[in-house]
Amino acid sequence: MQFDILTLFPDMFQGALSTGLLQRAVSHGLVVVNLHNIRDYTHDRHHTVDDYPYGGGAGMVLKPEPIFEAVESLQSDIPSEQAAMLPIILLTPQGRLFSQQIAEELSRHAQLVLICGRYEGIDERVREHLVTDEISIGDYVLGGGELAAMVIVDAVVRLLPGVLGSEESLLDESHATGLLEYPQYTRPPVYRDWPVPEVLLSGDHGQIAKWRREQAIMRTLQRRPEMLDRAQLDNKEERLIERLKQLR
Ligand code: ADE
């Protein structure tokens, strides 16, 4: 999978790309991340990327020309049918809220273009005539889209086949199942005077699976009850939730 990231601060990505999972995915050739400095697509002597807002007001607005040129240069490198399908995603607090479901959706594309906004805004014509999707990573305002782009790359890359050691670890984790993940423990069996739940030491895989499922349901009910409306639960589990709700 290939990510083309348009940014004014390519250096911000170095840490994320040179460590851990992302570094491994890149070095194994599973992922290509190309960083494009928006400033390289300017033509004036000062490499101007922003300008004052029409109508006045605080701050600067990113100019449309370098962003259009950067994206069009990427599009011209690929066959036109592919270019027509290429997602051009703007990172902005005004976008649709990023989720595991959107990460899965994006992971099915062979290539994504991510545009990192900066300053107070971006010329609206970029939104209207270039961008195909707008994504926010949460209801807060960052200094720019770079950290949001890294969040998206991280969440998408770990879903790609071969990136995680074991495909199984994707199956149970929080959000993948529509539930939060069950609690995990490792050695020692007793730390200070806090023991690991006995069932996990029992070797009874049926009981362990049952305990984990119940814990996931209880945890989701306590922390994110709205998620249960969309989780896939059997009748017995629905009844368990009703009982737990009565106890609250
Ligand atoms: N740029 C600034 N804030 C952002 C956010 N919350 N999500 C995505 N991009 C952003």
Side-chain angles (χ1 to χ4, degrees):
M1 180 167 188
Q2 178 173 326
F3 296 87
D4 286 280
I5 302 177
L6 275 56
T7 170
L8 288 170
F9 298 102
D11 290 350
M12 278 184 77
F13 292 84
Q14 289 317 324
L17 292 172
S18 61
T19 42
L21 193 98
L22 286 180
Q23 185 270 327
R24 203 152 44 91
V26 169
S27 69
H28 289 188
L30 301 168
V31 172
V32 173
V33 181
N34 299 319
L35 297 166
H36 308 275
N37 194 330
I38 295 170
R39 214 172 278 284
D40 293 342
Y41 294 85
T42 56
H43 301 292
D44 64 310
R45 209 153 52 89
H46 301 290
H47 301 288
T48 313
V49 292
D50 58 355
D51 207 338
Y52 297 99
Y54 274 120
M60 301 293 273
V61 175
L62 285 180
K63 292 164 68 58
E65 306 96 307
I67 298 174
F68 271 85
E69 282 193 35
V71 170
E72 284 163 0
S73 149
L74 291 171
Q75 287 168 327
S76 70
D77 288 344
I78 56 178
S80 54
E81 320 81 74
Q82 236 169 288
M85 305 288 286
L86 182 62
I88 317 286
I89 303 170
L90 176 65
L91 286 321
T92 161
Q94 300 182 21
R96 59 186 177 130
L97 202 54
F98 190 57
S99 64
Q100 192 65 26
Q101 198 187 332
I102 295 178
E104 281 163 19
E105 175 194 318
L106 298 180
S107 74
R108 291 192 280 272
H109 290 274
Q111 184 181 2
L112 297 177
V113 177
L114 302 176
I115 303 176
C116 304
R118 272 269 148 190
Y119 302 99
E120 270 60 34
I122 189 160
D123 189 282
E124 187 65 18
R125 288 164 290 191
V126 171
R127 280 210 167 87
E128 283 180 351
H129 304 294
L130 185 65
V131 156
T132 62
D133 195 0
E134 298 181 37
I135 295 181
S136 164
I137 60 158
D139 289 339
Y140 39 79
V141 180
L142 302 165
E146 283 76 9
L147 289 169
M150 283 183 239
V151 165
I152 289 174
V153 170
D154 190 289
V156 169
V157 165
R158 59 192 297 290
L159 296 176
L160 299 177
V163 170
L164 288 188
S166 132
E167 302 297 324
E168 268 170 49
S169 43
L170 283 174
L171 296 178
D172 280 353
E173 67 186 13
S174 294
H175 297 288
T177 57
L179 297 172
L180 298 181
E181 196 179 3
Y182 49 78
Q184 297 271 28
Y185 294 87
T186 185
R187 284 188 286 188
V190 180
Y191 176 60
R192 306 219 166 148
D193 54 355
W194 305 309
V196 172
E198 219 164 294
V199 60
L200 296 178
L201 310 176
S202 68
D204 182 337
H205 295 289
Q207 284 303 312
I208 290 172
K210 181 163 173 277
W211 181 86
R212 285 181 165 168
R213 182 80 185 164
E214 285 170 3
Q215 290 289 319
I217 290 171
M218 275 162 36
R219 190 155 272 214
T220 309
L221 180 63
Q222 275 165 359
R223 299 181 185 200
R224 298 288 305 277
E226 82 286 358
M227 284 174 60
L228 289 172
D229 299 339
R230 277 182 286 137
Q232 290 191 348
L233 303 166
D234 65 23
N235 290 340
K236 226 168 119 197
E237 290 169 342
E238 299 277 9
R239 287 198 299 275
L240 169 68
I241 290 169
E242 286 316 309
R243 260 184 288 130
L244 291 170
K245 279 185 182 165
Q246 315 258 297
L247 293 176
R248 293 205 297 174

